Amino acid sequence: MQSDIAFLGYLFYGKQEIPCSFTRKKRKNNMLCRSEKDEEIMELALAEAKRAADCGEVPVGAVLMLDEKIVVRTGNNLIGAGDPVGHAEIRALRKGAGQLGNYRLPGTTLYVTLEPCPMCAAAMVHARIERLVFGATDPKGGGVVSQYRIGRDGRLNHGYAVTEGVLADKCSLILKEFFQKRR
């Protein structure tokens, strides 16, 4: 699959235009079009976010996929674990690395209900994920599109493709409802 190898080379080395490996159309700025399964997997991440909310955690959920198979499903667990880095993304990367037996996670796609913060975006660079798919943007603290471009700006030794806005309304709503109840 030479086109896939060319895609990875373009993405990781910061070319201006990259082929979209999911529809074969070209996209700019490492932003990829949606695959047919993105909404289905984001629904699973939303279920994890709901579980987190039921435990009093900020409702963020994540699903790590490899070869169209679920590796990990998890949600935020900062309060319950007393862990300041217990974000859904970090937990998914840690559990995924443990299950796959490697701290590098090439070929994986991470689905998250909220745009990752800078800490989580940097962790994804270190884990070498291939693709990030997220729902709602985080205008105040987003590390991928809203405030920073970690993993997308070509400054680091690795990058990942990004698909944003998958089920964004649902992902935003669960957060809004959670915080309205707490006020």
Side-chain angles (χ1 to χ4, degrees), residues 121-132:
M124 289 183 265
V125 169
H126 290 289
R128 305 291 197 266
I129 70 163
E130 182 174 315
R131 182 174 176 235
L132 167 67

Side-chain angles (χ1 to χ4, degrees), residues 84-103:
V85 296
H87 292 195
E89 302 94 311
I90 298 292
R91 295 183 72 222
L93 295 174
R94 282 181 176 160
K95 288 180 178 185
Q99 286 190 12
L100 298 173
N102 192 344
Y103 72 103

Side-chain angles (χ1 to χ4, degrees), residues 15 43 65 70 179:
K15 300 279 184 180
E43 288 286 358
M65 303 283 293
I70 296 171
F179 286 113

Side-chain angles (χ1 to χ4, degrees), residues 36-143:
E36 296 164 3
K37 287 201 159 219
D38 287 345
E39 289 187 7
E40 179 183 327
I41 305 305
M42 190 60 73
E43 288 286 358
L44 298 176
L46 276 163
E48 294 300 320
K50 289 174 186 167
R51 276 194 204 114
D54 291 343
C55 295
E57 302 281 350
V58 174
V60 178
V63 176
L64 183 68
M65 303 283 293
L66 177 64
D67 298 328
E68 297 190 27
K69 293 183 179 123
I70 296 171
V71 177
V72 174
R73 292 174 56 167
T74 191
N76 270 0
N77 191 23
L78 290 89
I79 299 165
D83 182 2
V85 296
H87 292 195
E89 302 94 311
I90 298 292
R91 295 183 72 222
L93 295 174
R94 282 181 176 160
K95 288 180 178 185
Q99 286 190 12
L100 298 173
N102 192 344
Y103 72 103
R104 300 289 168 115
L105 302 170
T108 58
T109 299
L110 184 61
Y111 290 81
V112 188
T113 56
L114 179 65
E115 177 185 357
C117 72
M119 172 186 70
C120 293
M124 289 183 265
V125 169
H126 290 289
R128 305 291 197 266
I129 70 163
E130 182 174 315
R131 182 174 176 235
L132 167 67
V133 179
F134 70 88
T137 56
D138 184 352
K140 292 183 181 177

